[in-house]
Amino acid sequence: MTSAVDRLGVSAACSCEEEEVIARAKTGDASAWTVLFDCYYPTLYRYAYARLRLREDAEDVASQAFMVALRGIHTFNYRGKPLLAWLYRVTRNLVAEHLRRRRSLGETFDRLRAGTVSPALAAPEDMVDAYDLLDAVSQLTKDQREVIILRFLVSLPTKQVAHILGKKEEAVCSLQARAINALRRQLADHSPLLETSSP
Amino acid sequence: MTANENRGRFDLLRDLLARSPLASRQRKATASEEDRAFIHWLSTAAGTVIPEPRAESVRTGKARLLDALAHGEARDGRKRLSRLPGRGVAVALAAVVLIAASLTASAASGKLDLMEDIDEVLERLGIDPVPGPSSYQREMPESDPPAGADTRDLTEPGSPELPALAEDGDNALSDQQDEPTTLQGGSAEEQSTATEQIAVSIDETGPSIAPPRGQSGGKPSSSSSHPGGCGHQNMAIGRPETPAAQRRLAPAQGQTSPSGTGNGEGRPPAQRPDSIGAERGKGVPALPARPADDRANRDPFKRDSEPHGTDYLPDSEEVRRGADAEPSGHRGQEPPTAEEGRSRVLGERS
């Protein structure tokens, strides 16, 4: 399984030269920011979508994360940790703020379902699977949810997930194993519903 | 060895093998296969769950980022964020300082004390001050004035009648004020009554306008001023409404009051003459009303040069009483003696 960066056709070398790119970005180099945007926008977007489940909101949050990063890049000191870990925290905070606002507005689940419709989900059973998968992921604990999203929905390797979450790789593997068991139980409980709801 | 014994040994061996580490690894491998299958399904489903971002929104996001970068937010963003609250605090502090300065200036100029003094004087005179921002700004209650009382409202703030009223009173009394102002006219009882009224109205007002007690209470200007705190009853109880009126009413420096009642302390209270008369029951003579058309056409800011108002003097008794109550003076010259003024008025009337 390839990483999200590789799958989206963005040069994987951006992570190798990340320190240099960050240094140029601090000076206001537009090309450096273009590289960072192309590298990390899809990753941030996928994470935001897994949490918000609306394409427009996820796109807004991903763009907003780069605006926040632009204003706060001076506070980032490269110490071997990838910039994605910092961008992930920025995006996670923005998502939490968006969810709070959404809760205050009383957004209904129907709108979420309507917003989840994707051209890639042509088959109804796939759509149902997708809904149930996201529902099951949202019912996990916070750490398990983050691991599942970053490992399988954003398609990041275990080492990078450990960096982003600030945990050891063993801890990430343990969280992943427990999360998978919980997901299997939840999806098994939903399977009768899937059979009745699908045409 | 029997067959049963062989079967028992076989079961025992099978149990031992089932508990062996090798069997445990095999079971884990089986579970791992299930997990791998689920993970594979999960990865596949995740790939279809999340749609790709729209190219348009990606371009828009990048354009916003580069536009913000071109406007220097990367370098100045930190400063701007820290500077904005500072500006708000500075503006708020400046507003507070301005408000405090204006309040201090108002207190220094005596406006605030003036309001309080008015209420205090009204209360001492037995008049209920209407609760509100200030009794200074309220209208006097409508009531039937006694016969011969002046019905003009002197308490209306900013009233255009005020300067005219001052001149009106001065016109009505100009001849009286030119005449002697000592308490010579009238009977002893009338003199004492007028003096008492004046003393009450003067003593209960503040010393902000009139000169200190016993010094002077004369009129500061030659044509349209009134003694600060004593004199004609209408003017004595009239209160200066505007700073200009206050200046007019203030006595000139070095001016002396020929009147013995001219203690000159405090402002006249805001009270109509009829109400004072009714309150104290002593029948203070009121200023006769002028014709409405004349009052309306008169320029309140024009100083009348020609003496008039003699037609408002009903009789010599009125003149004497007004003169008794009106200590007046002239700026820069010694006031005429009572005898001179009296003879002058009587001569003009004749």
Side-chain angles (χ1 to χ4, degrees):
Chain A
M1 186 172 53
T2 59
S3 68
V5 174
D6 294 338
R7 183 157 38 82
L8 291 169
V10 181
S11 170
C14 66
S15 60
C16 301
E17 304 166 356
E18 195 174 57
E19 187 173 5
E20 179 193 345
V21 174
I22 291 170
R24 285 195 291 130
K26 283 187 176 181
T27 63
D29 188 1
S31 63
W33 279 104
T34 304
V35 170
L36 292 176
F37 189 89
D38 292 337
C39 278
Y40 297 123
Y41 180 87
T43 305
L44 300 182
Y45 163 78
R46 292 178 69 82
Y47 174 78
Y49 185 91
R51 295 289 307 279
L52 298 173
R53 300 165 67 177
L54 276 175
R55 179 193 275 181
E56 292 80 9
D57 291 353
E59 290 168 351
D60 288 345
V61 164
S63 296
Q64 201 175 351
F66 277 97
M67 299 298 291
V68 173
L70 180 63
R71 296 190 188 99
I73 191 66
H74 299 277
T75 63
F76 179 76
N77 292 320
Y78 187 80
R79 292 170 184 166
K81 278 192 174 184
L83 180 66
L84 183 59
W86 185 64
L87 291 174
Y88 159 76
R89 285 198 297 274
V90 170
T91 310
R92 189 179 58 185
N93 292 336
L94 290 174
V95 165
E97 182 184 347
H98 201 91
L99 287 174
R100 276 196 298 271
R101 201 181 315 136
R102 182 185 286 179
R103 269 186 233 110
S104 66
L105 292 174
E107 194 154 3
T108 60
F109 188 72
D110 293 338
R111 179 168 178 257
L112 294 179
R113 290 204 166 226
T116 316
V117 174
S118 166
L121 303 175
E125 58 271 17
D126 290 341
M127 293 173 63
V128 172
D129 287 347
Y131 297 144
D132 288 332
L133 175 61
L134 291 177
D135 285 343
V137 167
S138 65
Q139 290 175 9
L140 295 174
T141 65
K142 180 182 174 184
D143 287 342
Q144 292 177 2
R145 182 191 63 211
E146 295 297 307
V147 166
I148 290 297
I149 288 175
L150 292 174
R151 281 284 291 121
F152 300 108
L153 299 181
V154 182
S155 305
L156 293 177
T158 306
K159 186 178 179 181
Q160 203 163 2
V161 173
H163 272 304
I164 288 173
L165 297 179
K167 298 179 182 298
K168 294 182 179 178
E169 287 189 51
E170 293 79 9
V172 172
C173 289
S174 176
L175 280 171
Q176 175 182 323
R178 287 197 292 270
I180 284 174
N181 285 331
L183 278 178
R184 287 172 64 180
R185 283 196 300 271
Q186 289 181 18
L187 290 174
D189 294 340
H190 282 279
S191 55
L193 184 63
L194 281 174
E195 290 170 1
T196 55
S197 61
S198 58
Chain B
M1 184 179 291
T2 61
N4 289 335
E5 289 176 355
N6 286 336
R7 193 180 301 122
R9 288 177 181 174
F10 178 76
D11 291 341
L12 180 61
L13 181 61
R14 194 179 57 189
D15 292 343
L16 288 174
L17 285 175
R19 294 173 188 173
S20 68
L22 178 62
S24 176
R25 279 198 295 271
Q26 285 178 344
R27 282 198 300 274
K28 284 184 180 177
T30 306
S32 175
E33 285 294 327
E34 293 176 359
D35 285 346
R36 267 199 291 269
F38 181 77
I39 288 171
H40 178 70
W41 172 86
L42 185 61
S43 300
T44 308
T48 57
V49 161
I50 299 179
E52 295 298 324
R54 295 170 299 179
E56 181 186 352
S57 71
V58 175
R59 280 196 303 270
T60 305
K62 190 187 290 187
R64 277 178 54 196
L65 177 68
L66 296 178
D67 187 55
L69 187 66
H71 284 84
E73 284 199 28
R75 293 171 192 155
D76 300 339
R78 209 172 171 186
K79 282 185 181 176
R80 282 184 199 168
L81 288 176
S82 62
R83 203 184 302 154
L84 281 175
R87 284 182 182 172
V89 170
V91 169
L93 281 177
V96 169
V97 167
L98 284 177
I99 291 170
S102 64
L103 286 176
T104 306
S106 299
S109 64
K111 282 184 180 177
L112 297 178
D113 293 339
L114 181 65
M115 303 299 179
E116 293 174 1
D117 288 344
I118 291 167
D119 287 339
E120 188 179 354
V121 168
L122 288 176
E123 284 178 5
R124 290 189 183 183
L125 289 176
I127 301 169
D128 278 337
V130 175
S134 172
S135 62
Y136 179 79
Q137 298 177 349
R138 70 183 166 87
E139 287 188 5
M140 295 298 290
E142 291 294 333
S143 61
D144 292 332
D150 185 12
T151 57
R152 288 174 295 182
D153 187 5
L154 303 182
T155 62
E156 187 68 23
S159 171
E161 286 279 325
L162 179 65
L165 200 59
E167 292 192 2
D168 185 23
D170 182 65
N171 292 337
L173 297 173
S174 58
D175 295 334
Q176 303 174 20
Q177 290 164 357
D178 290 337
E179 68 183 19
T181 54
T182 53
L183 291 174
Q184 292 181 357
S187 64
E189 183 181 353
E190 289 171 349
Q191 289 182 11
S192 65
T193 302
T195 304
E196 182 184 351
Q197 288 179 352
I198 293 163
V200 166
S201 63
I202 290 170
D203 290 339
E204 295 179 354
T205 55
S208 59
I209 297 175
R213 179 188 296 269
Q215 288 186 4
S216 66
K219 45 192 294 190
S221 71
S222 59
S223 65
S224 64
S225 62
H226 303 284
C230 61
H232 188 272
Q233 68 278 6
N234 197 26
M235 294 303 108
I237 59 175
R239 183 174 38 77
E241 301 273 353
T242 63
Q246 291 180 1
R247 282 194 298 274
R248 273 203 306 276
L249 290 175
Q253 193 169 5
Q255 178 183 356
T256 58
S257 170
S259 172
T261 61
N263 55 27
E265 217 178 270
R267 291 180 314 282
Q271 178 63 35
R272 297 200 302 187
D274 51 349
S275 58
I276 286 183
E279 185 73 22
R280 300 179 63 84
K282 292 183 179 180
V284 179
L287 182 69
R290 293 186 63 177
D293 53 351
D294 184 19
R295 205 184 315 164
N297 295 330
R298 193 175 64 247
D299 184 4
F301 300 103
K302 181 180 178 183
R303 174 176 292 182
D304 293 336
S305 58
E306 56 179 349
H308 56 274
T310 54
D311 52 338
Y312 302 129
L313 300 175
D315 53 21
S316 58
E317 183 67 19
E318 184 75 19
V319 171
R320 277 198 301 277
R321 287 205 292 171
D324 294 341
E326 173 77 16
S328 61
H330 294 271
R331 184 190 296 271
Q333 57 179 335
E334 285 295 320
T337 62
E339 195 62 36
E340 290 174 354
R342 188 176 181 185
S343 61
R344 192 186 307 169
V345 170
L346 292 177
E348 284 181 5
R349 284 185 56 81
S350 63

